[in-house]
Amino acid sequence: MATAALSYTSPCGDWKPLDKKFYRKHEVYRMMWSKVDLAKLSVAAAPFGGPIATIRNDRKIVAVQAVTVRPTLQIYTSSGKLLNQFQWDKGRLVAMGWTGKERLVCVMEHGSIRLYDIHGEFVQISLGEDAKEFGVLDAHFWDNGVVVLTANFKLIVVADFDEPRPKVLADPGISQAPHSWAIIPPSMSLSKHVEVLLAVANTIIVVDAKNAQDQLLQQGPFTRMALSPNGKFLALFTSDGRLWVVSSDFQNSLAEFRTNSSTPPHQMVWCGSDSVLLHWEDTILMVGPTGDWIKYQYDGVVHMVTEIDSARIISGTRCELLECVPVVTEGIFKIGSTAPSAILFDAREHFEKESPKADENVRSIRPQLMEAVIACMDASCNEFDPFLQKALLRAASFGKAFLESFSADRFVDVCKTIRVLNAVRDAQIGIPLTFAQYVACSPEGLVDRLINRREHLLARRICEYLKMPIDRVMIDWASVKVKHSSEDEETVCRQVVEKLGSCKGISFSEVARAAYAAGRVRLATKLLNYEPSPADQVPLLLSMQEDELALVKAVESCDSDLVYLVLLHMKRKLPPADFFRIVSDKPLACSLLEAYCREQDTQLLRDFYDQDDRRAASAHLLFQESHLDKDVQVRLIKLKASSKLYSEEKDCAFEVKALEDQGKLLLLQSTLERELQQPFVDLSVVDTIFKCLLLGQANRALKIKNDLKVDDRRYAWLELRATVQKEDWDWLDKFAKANPKFGYKAIVDVLMEAGHGFRAQLFVESLAKAMPAVAYGELKAHLASMQKPGTTDTRR
């Protein structure tokens, strides 16, 4: 074991100093592609170890064997593994770039954009009439947007590809193409809007949505321009061969370096935010902040990709990573380092040799042991070589054994991170993420990128390993399965259900939607039977034209909102006869439809009752409607129609009779209103009689009583109340003598309720001789019980 630990060469052997830092360049992959000549191709590579898109550069003369063939757009991983390819026949391609979600953006000369996923599916966006009429010269991209320069020198921005709305920026006031240009993305600009930097003459014009501002520089012309990953610095290459680095707000000049080459480099990019790379054929020149430089030799043309902490260098045979050596790594492996982490790493080696010096080393750094352990763990994350990763983790594990309060969780998390990074760095996957890039894009972002590449197995294993939800992985796998599987629908449905069934609460609606989009309607319907959420199930069934099944599912859910959603959708879409036929055998749907129609559409409700042959319900609806009309004649007509419908039903004799009486009453009330100029319509029978009595229309009240068969006792009660209210005491005495069976207590009660306590007392006293003594005593006691103590009735 000791021999294995000491068998590696020093990691700092290929480090090169630049200013106060060291840089290292190491091979990540041997490219899996073959016969790829980058000098003849237009290349666009996504950051964060993303894919590479290539297409023949039509600005360069390329010899072909027979006739000119259409160019092929090819998409590779960073290891050169082909992901997809298709012939390009959409017009001249001006520029390519990648979004943060790894969608390839292709800007065409005729003024349109296509967004491709890795598998060739695309969305097309128009840039507007200016771009279409004059054409597009060039474009620059950021995470989710693009700025294009048109042939009439206007700038058009699409700030969000998810909601593309092309907007023209302020007029830069130029009449010829700029020497070079760049953009400051919204997330990095002070205004939080995209800013465009145009190199014009000897100066730079900064353009945003409202203004174009000249920076009044004299150092130009600037033939190349590059913004640092953090947006703070701008690298400028002048026509006389000088590299000038300034702050992105042009307030500070930070560095200047003379390259002795007036030929502009093929490419100028940043390596992290600390140094600038310039590429001429066969050469890459790295320039540091103080003018120090490093030169790397290559055969032919390469392509460089800026990363947040490094730069990828892609050649025809290799993919390399050029990065600044992390401080913790430098502290451990730098020759002569006395950092606690270096001593701990050395102690681990002595321990494996069973040397007592291991204990001496640990004792010497005991106060800094925690710091040393953390440094070894951090350094292990920054390594690509598994052998060095293990060596550093062993050193950290050795050191933490001497610590009492060190949490093992952090060590476990580091081990998990390294294992995930090693898995995605594999050449078959081809995502060479550094630890800093992994932190920036997050584990969730990494899983999304694997899903986009349809590496579902690895994505699921990473989710399970990191204890993340696997729903989106499984849903995307199932969506791809139903779209592209050639197996029969029963088999595909069974396979999808078996896989997704093990995930609790997973939604089948997205998978069903994918199946429906692929034209597999029957499969989509089968999958929806397994959807646990009716709220997701029902809308999709409606979009699939499965209206009746959607109504069944909505009714089964007992969710009135869902039922209403389906009913209103069907009402708009279907003829009334078909709509009523589907609804009629579903009681809950019928009830909700009736409730809706009563409030919103009574004609639809009447049609529904007629279609369903529900005469009693139709009659009741007519009766209700009759109360809403002000015209008495119209109401009478509706009452007669309602009575006729009721008469056609066997068990509605009472309703028929009640409606006849209502018609009679309404007619009488109409006559009373006309003759007495008092409101009577819509009063009840009792109230109508009572009002007639109050108005002194006793004969009319008696006629209503006889016509509508009001019983004598009720009529007598109304007479009594009217008499008391009119305070006609003479008539009250006559009433008492004429209706002895009515009861004297009832008369007393009415008087007391009307507040005539004194009159009630007089009435009782007047009966002293006419009543037996016992009955009279009971009546007096009843009066006394109704009188409230301490109150005096002043009315006479």
Side-chain angles (χ1 to χ4, degrees), residues 474-728:
M474 300 307 299
I475 289 172
D476 190 80
W477 168 83
S479 299
V480 173
K481 179 77 173 175
V482 299
K483 283 181 181 179
H484 302 288
S485 176
S486 58
E487 298 173 302
D488 64 273
E489 294 180 342
E490 293 288 347
T491 303
V492 174
C493 182
R494 185 179 66 255
Q495 291 174 346
V496 169
V497 171
E498 285 176 357
K499 289 285 187 182
L500 270 60
S502 60
C503 307
K504 293 182 179 179
I506 200 165
S507 174
F508 282 78
S509 61
E510 290 187 39
V511 185
R513 186 176 287 108
Y516 179 69
R520 308 182 78 168
V521 180
R522 186 164 169 266
L523 176 58
T525 305
K526 285 179 175 292
L527 289 169
L528 276 178
N529 288 329
Y530 297 93
E531 171 57 50
S533 171
D536 293 328
Q537 188 181 44
V538 170
L540 184 55
L541 283 170
L542 291 177
S543 67
M544 291 166 53
Q545 317 301 320
E546 296 287 343
D547 298 338
E548 187 165 2
L549 182 56
L551 183 58
V552 170
K553 296 297 183 183
V555 169
E556 288 176 356
S557 72
C558 297
D559 186 334
S560 59
D561 290 338
L562 278 180
V563 178
Y564 276 128
L565 173 68
V566 181
L567 289 175
L568 294 175
H569 173 83
M570 293 170 65
K571 172 179 173 288
R572 288 191 300 268
K573 174 185 172 185
L574 299 176
D578 294 339
F579 175 45
F580 297 148
R581 176 183 55 78
I582 294 172
V583 173
S584 59
D585 62 343
K586 300 170 182 64
L588 177 60
C590 287
S591 299
L592 292 175
L593 177 62
E594 291 178 42
Y596 166 78
C597 289
R598 285 192 187 97
E599 297 291 332
Q600 304 290 336
D601 193 344
T602 53
Q603 182 59 47
L604 179 66
L605 184 58
R606 189 180 299 111
D607 294 341
F608 177 55
Y609 288 153
D610 293 342
Q611 172 88 6
D612 209 27
D613 198 25
R614 295 166 60 179
R615 294 185 181 89
S618 296
H620 184 66
L621 182 61
L622 274 172
F623 172 67
Q624 288 179 318
E625 288 181 2
S626 70
H627 285 282
L628 302 177
D629 284 303
K630 301 297 183 183
D631 191 330
V632 174
Q633 296 303 319
V634 175
R635 292 178 66 174
L636 288 171
I637 292 171
K638 288 187 176 181
L639 287 173
K640 288 179 181 178
S642 177
S643 178
K644 183 180 179 183
L645 288 171
Y646 273 126
S647 67
E648 294 175 4
E649 294 287 333
K650 295 179 180 179
D651 301 326
C652 295
F654 170 77
E655 287 83 353
V656 173
K657 177 61 176 170
L659 286 175
E660 289 177 359
D661 290 345
Q662 177 67 20
K664 291 179 183 178
L665 177 62
L666 187 59
L667 194 58
L668 287 169
Q669 289 174 335
S670 176
T671 303
L672 289 171
E673 276 195 357
R674 187 173 61 254
E675 295 179 356
L676 301 179
Q677 300 299 310
Q678 291 285 335
F680 278 90
V681 174
D682 290 332
L683 295 179
S684 66
V685 177
V686 170
D687 290 341
T688 303
I689 294 173
F690 181 70
K691 190 167 185 178
C692 286
L693 292 170
L694 285 178
L695 294 173
Q697 301 292 324
N699 293 334
R700 293 178 187 270
L702 190 59
K703 183 178 186 307
I704 296 172
K705 166 190 176 298
N706 294 331
D707 288 349
L708 298 179
K709 297 181 175 56
V710 178
D711 63 88
D712 294 339
R713 184 172 180 82
R714 181 179 293 274
Y715 184 76
W717 184 265
L718 293 172
E719 280 189 303
L720 173 61
R721 286 180 55 212
T723 300
V724 171
Q725 188 165 334
K726 291 190 297 179
E727 299 185 2
D728 188 352

Side-chain angles (χ1 to χ4, degrees), residues 349-369:
E349 292 181 347
H350 286 296
F351 175 75
E352 290 180 347
K353 293 189 297 183
E354 299 181 358
S355 168
K357 194 172 181 182
D359 184 61
E360 294 178 15
N361 285 356
V362 172
R363 289 177 183 275
S364 68
I365 59 168
R366 191 60 186 253
Q368 298 88 28
L369 188 55

Side-chain angles (χ1 to χ4, degrees), residues 234-520:
L234 182 67
L236 303 167
F237 189 85
T238 66
S239 58
D240 59 356
R242 287 177 296 113
L243 173 66
W244 185 34
V245 180
V246 296
S247 59
S248 57
D249 59 2
F250 299 96
Q251 298 301 308
N252 299 302
S253 175
L254 303 174
E256 190 170 339
F257 176 80
R258 186 170 293 278
T259 64
N260 298 322
S261 172
S262 58
T263 304
H266 296 308
Q267 231 188 326
M268 183 172 74
V269 302
W270 284 81
C271 179
S273 294
D274 299 317
S275 59
V276 181
L277 300 178
L278 301 99
H279 168 51
W280 291 269
E281 190 168 356
D282 301 331
T283 302
I284 291 179
L285 182 66
M286 172 185 277
V287 180
T290 60
D292 291 352
W293 55 272
I294 303 171
K295 183 180 288 188
Y296 297 97
Q297 296 298 325
Y298 283 88
D299 293 331
V301 175
V302 300
H303 184 76
M304 302 183 297
V305 186
T306 297
E307 302 284 5
I308 59 171
D309 61 337
S310 57
R312 264 187 300 156
I313 303 174
I314 300 163
S315 67
T317 57
R318 299 189 302 274
C319 175
E320 297 174 310
L321 190 72
L322 178 58
E323 63 176 343
C324 178
V325 177
V327 174
V328 289
T329 304
E330 182 182 335
I332 296 171
F333 294 117
K334 183 179 177 182
I335 295 174
S337 174
T338 57
S341 53
I343 295 172
L344 176 61
F345 188 81
D346 186 57
R348 170 65 192 186
E349 292 181 347
H350 286 296
F351 175 75
E352 290 180 347
K353 293 189 297 183
E354 299 181 358
S355 168
K357 194 172 181 182
D359 184 61
E360 294 178 15
N361 285 356
V362 172
R363 289 177 183 275
S364 68
I365 59 168
R366 191 60 186 253
Q368 298 88 28
L369 188 55
M370 176 75 78
E371 174 191 337
V373 170
I374 293 173
C376 286
M377 290 193 301
D378 291 345
S380 67
C381 293
N382 294 317
E383 295 300 325
F384 273 65
D385 184 358
F387 186 84
L388 274 178
Q389 291 170 352
K390 291 177 183 177
L392 289 163
L393 287 174
R394 288 192 185 107
S397 179
F398 176 70
K400 74 183 181 67
F402 296 91
L403 295 172
E404 296 179 358
S405 60
F406 188 83
S407 172
D409 292 342
R410 183 168 182 175
F411 184 82
V412 172
D413 290 342
V414 167
C415 292
K416 286 183 176 181
T417 298
I418 292 173
R419 190 172 180 183
V420 169
L421 288 173
N422 288 343
V424 299
R425 288 168 181 167
D426 183 87
Q428 292 301 316
I429 305 299
I431 305 179
L433 277 181
T434 64
F435 177 66
Q437 293 167 21
Y438 174 74
V439 172
C441 76
S442 78
E444 292 78 11
L446 178 58
V447 169
D448 286 339
R449 296 174 68 187
L450 290 171
I451 291 172
N452 290 339
R453 299 184 186 206
R454 296 180 183 169
E455 296 288 350
H456 297 105
L457 180 59
L458 178 58
R460 175 171 180 168
R461 287 176 175 171
I462 288 176
C463 287
E464 291 174 342
Y465 188 59
L466 298 180
K467 294 181 172 55
M468 293 163 53
I470 64 171
D471 293 15
R472 55 203 172 110
V473 180
M474 300 307 299
I475 289 172
D476 190 80
W477 168 83
S479 299
V480 173
K481 179 77 173 175
V482 299
K483 283 181 181 179
H484 302 288
S485 176
S486 58
E487 298 173 302
D488 64 273
E489 294 180 342
E490 293 288 347
T491 303
V492 174
C493 182
R494 185 179 66 255
Q495 291 174 346
V496 169
V497 171
E498 285 176 357
K499 289 285 187 182
L500 270 60
S502 60
C503 307
K504 293 182 179 179
I506 200 165
S507 174
F508 282 78
S509 61
E510 290 187 39
V511 185
R513 186 176 287 108
Y516 179 69
R520 308 182 78 168

